[in-house]
Amino acid sequence: MIVSGSGLVEALRAGRFVVTAELGPPRGADTDVVRKKGRALRGWVDAVNITDNQGGFVRLSSLAGSLVLLDEGVDPVMQLTARDRNRIALQSDLVSAAALGVRNVLLLSGDHPSYGDHPDAKPVFDLDSTQMVWTARNLRDHGQLLSGRSLDPPPDLHIGAVENPFAPPVGFRARRLAKKVRAGAEYVQTQLVFDVGAFAGWMAEVRDLGLHERAHIIAGIGPIVSPQALEHMRTKVPGVHVPDAVATRLLRAGTEGFTEEALRVCAESIHRIRAIEGVSGIHLMAFGREHLIPEIVDRSGLDRSRFDMNACGSRERSADAG
């Protein structure tokens, strides 16, 4: 299916090693934060994810944030979770995003409300993440709602999913990804990768299943910026594995040198990941520290010359292109 108006799609189709980043919207009715961070990232990445009430905390919606990025000439990736919407709301949001010029969508389950600021909220989870992907493909390719009713015109979408190579049972993760790819996932962003060796092992399983030829695999990368963040990452975040060697290296740098060493680790990890067959790019996550993303890209030696070319135009230009 032809997807128009997305620099990320163009970069992936051209076989370039892509860079995406992640941006959390503010907790308030103001778009200035998204606008400023979007401007700072333009020219450094191919696309920027807007999270969907991440962690179960109420924030500006992913659709609103995505529209702001379009205004700033940044290609958005709109995240949508199963936690907060049933199949009616999901399909409506997908159609609405496409109608407004947002082409890239990333479909995921989402953190349980018990982790957020409304722990008593009732989670929805009407569809699981694989069913969400299939629903988006059915809307796009067949112009059909889950009810069977037709949709005209269908939404023009670039459909993405997520995967965690390190969550138990580890031996099942590549096969789990296969289900999402069969359902229609065209690109996949992974959980943060600190153990590049383990990630390489997972990618070998992905290649054995031929998934790298059917979907673009984008590896999650991000800096651990403090000893407290390291402790949280190692003990509180399921499915994230920080090897002892990496933890020791960061701690030896001391408090003052911690962030600097974390940036070195990121750059070195990117170099190693680029050498792994079947990896199409990296997804940079620097929660609350998005200003570090340009420096990570610069240190990694990635070619920036194409980023300005891939940036989408204003919302008006995106609508014309669609």
Side-chain angles (χ1 to χ4, degrees), residues 236-295:
K236 303 294 185 182
V237 183
V240 172
H241 174 56
V242 182
D244 291 340
V246 173
T248 299
R249 176 178 169 183
L250 292 172
L251 291 171
R252 282 178 178 169
T255 303
E256 292 185 1
F258 204 96
T259 298
E260 173 63 25
E261 195 63 29
L263 295 175
R264 290 196 188 103
V265 170
C266 283
E268 292 169 13
S269 296
I270 292 170
H271 280 291
R272 294 175 62 192
I273 285 172
R274 290 186 70 186
I276 299 173
E277 181 185 353
V279 179
S280 295
I282 54 168
H283 177 58
L284 295 175
M285 293 175 272
F287 308 108
R289 303 289 186 96
E290 290 88 355
H291 63 279
L292 294 175
I293 289 174
E295 185 168 357

Side-chain angles (χ1 to χ4, degrees), residues 227-239:
Q228 295 77 16
L230 174 62
E231 178 65 18
H232 177 79
M233 200 72 71
R234 299 194 85 187
T235 61
K236 303 294 185 182
V237 183

Side-chain angles (χ1 to χ4, degrees), residues 156-168:
D156 192 15
L157 297 169
H158 183 217
I159 303 167
V162 300
E163 189 52 79
N164 188 341
F166 313 107

Side-chain angles (χ1 to χ4, degrees), residues 49-66:
N49 287 37
I50 295 290
T51 58
D52 184 19
N53 296 321
Q54 76 268 25
F57 290 86
V58 175
R59 293 177 180 271
L60 192 77
S61 76
S62 57
L63 177 56
S66 294

Side-chain angles (χ1 to χ4, degrees), residues 10-142:
E10 294 170 6
L12 289 169
R13 286 178 177 167
R16 294 192 285 267
F17 191 85
V18 303
V19 180
T20 59
E22 191 154 303
L23 196 162
R27 190 178 296 115
D30 189 349
T31 62
D32 283 350
V33 172
V34 177
R35 196 172 298 280
K36 290 175 182 177
K37 290 183 177 181
R39 288 174 185 166
L41 292 174
R42 181 176 180 176
W44 291 96
V45 299
D46 293 287
V48 175
N49 287 37
I50 295 290
T51 58
D52 184 19
N53 296 321
Q54 76 268 25
F57 290 86
V58 175
R59 293 177 180 271
L60 192 77
S61 76
S62 57
L63 177 56
S66 294
L67 295 180
V68 172
L69 289 185
L70 280 179
D71 275 339
E72 294 300 326
V74 178
D75 196 16
V77 177
M78 177 179 163
Q79 296 188 186
L80 290 168
T81 69
R83 176 195 59 224
D84 303 326
R85 49 182 62 82
N86 63 16
R87 64 193 66 190
I88 297 172
L90 171 67
Q91 292 174 104
S92 178
D93 284 345
L94 288 169
V95 171
S96 299
L100 292 169
V102 178
R103 304 304 186 212
N104 309 301
V105 293
L106 189 78
L107 305 170
L108 61 161
S109 298
D111 299 309
H112 195 277
S114 60
Y115 296 108
D117 55 0
H118 288 71
D120 295 327
K122 184 176 181 179
V124 181
F125 297 117
D126 181 25
L127 303 176
D128 65 28
S129 55
T130 302
Q131 291 169 329
M132 293 173 75
V133 168
W134 186 90
T135 298
R137 188 181 71 171
N138 193 53
L139 289 175
R140 185 193 65 188
D141 293 355
H142 303 293

